[in-house]
Amino acid sequence: MPGVAILLVSHSRSLAEATAALIRQVTGADLRLALAAGSGEEGAELGTDVLAIQAAIEALDSPAGTLILMDMGSALLSTEMALNLLTDSLRERVQLSSGPFVEGAMAAALAASGGAPLSAVRQEAENGLGMKQQQLASDRNSLEQPPPPATPVTPEQQRRLRLSDPAGLHLRPAAALAKLALARTTPSRIRAARHPEQAASATSLTAMLGLDLRQGDELIMETSGADAAAFFDAAAQILATPSAPNPADQIVPRVPSRPGGTVAGFAQGPLLIPKALLARVPETHDPDSTKSLQQFQAALEKVQQQLSNHPIVAAQALLLQDPVLLEQTRKRIQEDHLAAAPAWAQVITEAAARMDTLSDPIVRARAADLRDLGQRVLQALGIAVESTISPGAPAILLVDELLPSVALHLDPRQVLGVIDRHGSTHSHAAILLRGAGIPYIINADNPALSSARSVAMDGTTGEIWLDPDPVTLKKLLEHDATRCALPEQGDYGQISLSDGSRLELWANVASAAEADTARRLGATGIGLLRTEFFFLDQQTLPDEENQTRALSQIMAPMQGRPIIVRALDAGADKPLGFMPLGDEANPALGRRGLRALLAFPDIFALQLRAMLRAGRNHQLSIMLPMVTNPEELREARGILEQAHHTLEAAGQAHRWPVSLGIMAEVPAVALCMDGFNELADFVSIGSNDLTQYTLASDRSNPLLDALGNAAHPAVLELCRKIARDSLVPVSICGEAAGDPDIAPLLVDCGLRRLSMAPRRLPEIFTLLSQRSSHTHE
Ligand code: PEP
Ligand code: MG
């Protein structure tokens, strides 16, 4: 007979869905679970809906009964009204729970999936708060200080079993065990028979993973209470369920909604999960531990919120609730008066280092998760992150989310490819990898990945082969050899169109290597020299000499050709430690690009001076990012002129005059070109941002990859309008220009200057030349 059903009634659809996802991780698909959450169409608005609640109860209609958990206030009222609409016989089988929404639902779900009757399921839900109270009291037991049994353990309080899972005790079963333990009021712990002196609280994921339990180990579980036997049975069931990867699952399907490749290319080699990504945090103290505790709590909540947008990391996110990690951090804040960031960094570093020493590769992989989470919390605490991954020997990286600051340093000779558990096609990290020619796959969520020793990957199709056997590998390599490799030299910069006009292909670069490729492939000029990547990993503002030197190196290969350097585009996903922009609810709509530069005029002026000096022997133009109104351009021109006067007064050689242009990334610019025609010397369409702002589609959100498409008619219409309304030269330098599906549409919009990653030049040149010759015929 089907067990008790659970209905979640919430004001928020996302809250109910996230709670259901948490529950499903532990109970699996068998539990009868439904949601009645949100109001309005598809529950998109906050509120509860009586009829939706009624319909959900009727649909569940479990003979064993239904328990309803409600989040707050009017959810209860709506549910009571819905009960009045039910038939008498159905109403008798429904009970409302006063338990806390998330913990109560989890406890109830566990009991229901264990076959408990309705009254017991309700009791479990009601105990939800007790569990948290108990947990706070008992979790001071850490890995170092296992809870000593108050009395000698009786046979009823202990169960031994052998671990049969080839992966040992890894994250998923440990998480399920932690949930089971958290749902009880009595403390429970586990230990390995081979190290009986080390015990871990069963509520702590990290402590359990730290036991390094492997296949074949005898595991001792201990607890007391009337439900001890039920606890042991449930735990035994969790541990008996094998979770080794299914070999039939070897090829991971590509998840991104938009096919065609994040960064194309084939790679094969050892898989490396990078270690040292945790920022080095100075050991600062703060006597106000209450304030530090509040900052820590706020950072945790911020990261929990970020992670809740990533269903793939739900299991890893549990690490953030780990009572041992949290308690140890709070202890260091309160007792040692450490500031929040160093306290957290120390605890994570130590816990991750312990995991590094474990034998199980899957658990070892969790150390990377832990560092990654550690890093997110540090970022939320305002610490700039460390960003160098250097594999030592060529390898393919498996990362949890490639940050632009990390992507920046990847050396294609060392990093053969990158597989990202998250990521987004339009991210700055993807742009950097495209520039460096490093194949990149995003949204790879197969848990088996982290235990592979070597992989082959196809960045075009998104396919991944785990530990490919020699025959498969040979076939893949043969196939790869038939693909066209990047030519050494070429003349891919100019195309004559059938209407007599000339189409120019320019290059987007951020490094001297890319500028060199642009030169070799005959780019007409540099249409976008991104400068922010030079600053991303700097803790302090680089001085004028350093900036001049860095820019000169990038410009050198393009001597004699036009170069458009873009002023610093900081903010949003490219925060800079030395440019504190404050906490913004919507950084992409906040002080970014030119807005940030005008807020820090000294930093802006310093960069302009470095540009003018570096460009003294080049055809230099300067471009401003994220412009909205002509007034901003006027102000920027004033600062540029001042930079020139300063250099002149100091007798410093520099380029003058220079053209000053704007990026069209904000729809307002496209719609009001008139205001810029007299002020700007040129315009370059930043289709990456123009797309995100036109379609209200966050370019860094992988779930919106399909929506954020520059080929959307609204974006194309804006491009057409800019090409038509502008009285000054127009180019486009967003990724769309190098996309074979979109580039022809841009030409049709009237654009004649396309600037793209240098490696895209041969393909786009061939495509557009063929198209032009067809139009001739
Ligand atoms: C753009 O927005 O299209 C652009 C080129 O700028 P970035 O991608 O650096 O934001
Ligand atoms: Mg942009």
Side-chain angles (χ1 to χ4, degrees):
M1 178 174 102
V4 171
I6 309 284
L7 174 61
L8 303 177
V9 175
S10 166
H11 284 68
S12 153
R13 181 130 202 114
S14 347
L15 172 63
E17 282 172 353
T19 308
L22 270 177
I23 290 173
R24 286 279 181 225
Q25 277 209 3
V26 181
T27 64
D30 289 343
L31 176 77
R32 290 169 69 96
L33 175 69
L35 324 175
S39 64
E41 209 169 312
E42 295 187 5
E45 289 158 34
L46 292 181
T48 49
D49 178 338
V50 176
L51 295 182
I53 300 170
Q54 178 201 358
I57 301 172
E58 286 171 351
L60 280 170
D61 188 16
S62 171
T66 298
L67 185 71
I68 306 184
L69 283 113
M70 297 140 292
D71 60 356
M72 59 193 178
S74 58
L76 172 59
L77 197 68
S78 302
T79 308
E80 284 174 341
M81 285 165 73
L83 289 192
N84 287 332
L85 302 175
L86 301 177
T87 60
D88 290 347
S89 64
L90 181 51
R91 193 181 316 113
E92 276 164 19
R93 296 198 298 277
V94 177
Q95 291 191 15
L96 309 192
S97 166
S98 62
F101 187 70
V102 178
E103 298 93 331
M106 177 63 77
L110 286 161
S113 58
L118 183 57
S119 56
V121 172
R122 182 175 174 182
Q123 190 55 51
E124 281 300 305
E126 243 94 293
N127 287 344
L129 270 188
M131 141 197 124
K132 196 182 276 172
Q133 287 152 352
Q134 173 70 29
Q135 183 192 327
L136 285 174
S138 68
D139 282 337
R140 300 195 197 312
N141 305 317
S142 68
L143 184 61
E144 293 81 14
Q145 299 149 334
T151 49
V153 175
T154 65
E156 296 76 48
Q157 293 173 340
Q158 194 179 76
R159 176 89 55 99
R160 289 171 175 255
L161 59 91
R162 205 157 287 283
L163 263 186
S164 59
D165 193 326
L169 181 63
H170 63 98
L171 186 68
R172 278 173 202 277
L177 213 53
K179 290 217 162 119
L180 192 67
L182 283 166
R184 302 175 64 244
T185 51
T186 322
S188 43
R189 60 185 189 172
I190 65 170
R191 60 178 83 224
R194 70 186 153 82
H195 289 304
E197 71 290 354
Q198 276 185 17
S201 163
T203 55
S204 168
L205 253 188
T206 47
M208 284 193 287
L209 293 178
L211 291 176
D212 197 13
L213 288 160
R214 306 171 207 160
Q215 182 181 28
D217 268 348
E218 191 183 22
L219 181 149
I220 307 169
M221 295 183 287
E222 287 166 358
T223 191
S224 55
D227 61 345
F231 170 75
F232 291 143
D233 289 346
Q237 201 177 347
I238 290 169
L239 296 170
T241 313
S243 53
N246 175 2
D249 228 25
Q250 271 222 329
I251 296 184
V252 187
R254 187 167 186 275
V255 186
S257 34
R258 186 160 165 249
T262 306
V263 178
F266 177 80
Q268 63 88 19
L271 184 73
L272 182 88
I273 304 175
K275 261 189 201 173
L277 270 182
L278 206 58
R280 267 191 288 280
V281 182
E283 193 177 305
T284 47
H285 290 82
D286 190 341
D288 187 352
S289 47
T290 313
K291 189 184 87 211
S292 302
L293 283 174
Q294 279 166 354
Q295 287 168 339
F296 180 50
Q297 188 56 35
L300 289 176
E301 281 165 18
K302 188 166 174 186
V303 175
Q304 284 285 9
Q305 169 69 28
Q306 289 166 357
L307 294 177
S308 65
N309 295 330
H310 286 302
I312 298 165
V313 281
Q316 284 96 325
L318 277 172
L319 289 166
L320 264 193
Q321 296 167 25
D322 189 301
V324 170
L325 301 179
L326 303 187
E327 196 51 41
Q328 286 183 352
T329 308
R330 289 183 183 128
K331 214 165 134 201
R332 286 173 204 220
I333 293 175
Q334 281 173 313
E335 293 175 14
D336 306 339
H337 294 289
L338 276 180
W344 170 252
Q346 285 178 8
V347 168
I348 292 293
T349 307
E350 288 163 17
R354 273 199 301 270
M355 284 192 193
D356 278 339
T357 63
L358 304 181
S359 56
D360 182 333
I362 299 183
V363 175
R364 271 206 314 271
R366 295 286 78 79
D369 290 338
L370 198 54
R371 287 193 181 88
D372 220 60
L373 285 169
Q375 176 156 300
R376 284 176 198 266
V377 175
L378 288 177
Q379 265 180 308
L381 283 165
I383 301 289
V385 296
E386 192 108 326
S387 53
T388 335
I389 303 176
S390 175
I396 291 174
L397 301 184
L398 173 63
V399 297
D400 223 14
E401 178 151 41
L402 190 66
L403 302 175
S405 51
V406 175
L408 171 68
H409 296 284
L410 298 183
D411 176 350
R413 288 164 304 183
Q414 293 273 303
V415 177
L416 306 170
V418 177
I419 300 175
D420 196 333
R421 292 201 181 97
H422 304 113
S424 150
T425 314
H426 312 295
S427 68
H428 282 104
I431 291 172
L432 283 165
L433 293 195
R434 207 164 286 133
I438 299 177
Y440 182 39
I441 290 177
I442 60 171
N443 288 347
D445 64 346
N446 188 332
L449 255 171
S450 48
S451 45
R453 291 192 187 281
S454 72
V455 292
M457 62 180 282
D458 185 333
T460 310
T461 62
E463 286 166 294
I464 300 171
W465 293 263
L466 306 184
D467 294 314
D469 57 64
V471 180
T472 311
L473 200 53
K474 186 161 173 279
K475 267 199 220 138
L476 290 171
L477 288 170
E478 279 166 6
H479 179 56
D480 182 48
T482 62
R483 299 182 212 206
C484 125
L486 192 68
E488 264 297 304
Q489 295 286 102
D491 206 354
Y492 301 109
Q494 313 252 340
I495 301 168
S496 296
L497 294 184
S498 52
D499 62 4
S501 63
R502 196 176 56 162
L503 181 62
E504 294 175 353
L505 303 190
W506 294 49
N508 296 347
V509 308
S511 66
E514 283 181 293
D516 189 53
T517 310
R519 170 93 204 184
R520 283 190 290 109
L521 298 178
T524 300
I526 292 182
L528 167 63
L529 195 168
R530 286 187 171 94
T531 55
E532 54 280 4
F533 298 127
F534 168 64
F535 295 89
L536 273 177
D537 56 344
Q538 312 276 345
Q539 304 298 326
T540 52
L541 177 69
D543 63 20
E544 195 178 309
E545 294 305 320
N546 270 314
Q547 292 197 34
T548 306
R549 202 172 313 121
L551 283 171
S552 303
Q553 279 166 5
I554 305 179
M555 291 177 184
M558 286 298 275
Q559 176 76 40
R561 301 190 190 193
I563 298 175
I564 300 176
V565 187
R566 182 174 74 180
L568 191 55
D569 182 18
D573 65 335
K574 292 176 286 190
L576 294 179
F578 52 83
M579 234 174 159
L581 295 166
D583 249 355
E584 298 184 306
N586 283 310
L589 301 181
R591 294 202 294 172
R592 200 200 137 174
L594 184 55
R595 301 170 189 183
L597 290 170
L598 294 178
F600 292 87
D602 293 345
I603 295 181
F604 187 20
L606 192 155
Q607 194 194 26
L608 291 172
R609 291 197 298 273
M611 287 176 181
L612 295 177
R613 286 176 60 188
R616 66 187 178 279
N617 296 322
H618 294 278
Q619 294 175 40
L620 175 75
S621 299
I622 295 177
M623 179 157 72
L624 303 170
M626 190 74 181
V627 179
T628 313
N629 289 317
E631 199 39 55
E632 296 167 331
L633 173 56
R634 227 177 254 120
E635 204 180 324
R637 198 178 275 285
I639 297 175
L640 176 63
E641 274 160 13
Q642 187 53 48
H644 154 62
H645 293 315
T646 308
L647 291 174
E648 201 173 37
Q652 190 67 261
H654 64 286
R655 179 89 188 172
W656 195 259
V658 287
S659 300
L660 181 66
I662 59 164
M663 292 203 69
E665 299 176 288
V666 177
V669 171
L671 295 168
C672 301
M673 272 309 298
D674 278 357
F676 292 99
N677 272 331
E678 296 210 333
L679 291 172
D681 296 319
F682 62 92
V683 177
S684 185
I685 301 176
S687 52
N688 307 334
D689 280 311
L690 186 62
T691 304
Q692 85 161 338
Y693 296 129
T694 304
L695 304 176
S697 164
D698 181 352
R699 67 192 267 188
S700 64
N701 184 340
L703 303 176
L704 300 180
D705 262 3
L707 182 62
N709 184 352
H712 189 289
V715 181
L716 293 178
E717 184 53 36
L718 291 178
C719 292
R720 200 173 292 118
K721 188 163 167 39
I722 296 170
R724 197 180 53 219
D725 295 353
S726 174
L727 300 179
V728 293
V730 177
S731 59
I732 176 160
C733 61
E735 295 299 286
D739 183 328
D741 293 335
I742 309 180
L745 306 177
L746 300 172
V747 176
D748 292 345
C749 286
L751 295 169
R752 293 292 178 268
R753 231 176 232 188
L754 272 49
S755 191
M756 62 202 73
R759 301 178 151 266
R760 308 293 312 141
L761 287 165
E763 186 184 342
I764 298 296
F765 175 89
T766 310
L767 173 82
L768 296 179
S769 314
Q770 280 167 356
R771 193 166 172 268
S772 149
S773 60
H774 287 151
T775 339
H776 269 304
E777 285 155 12

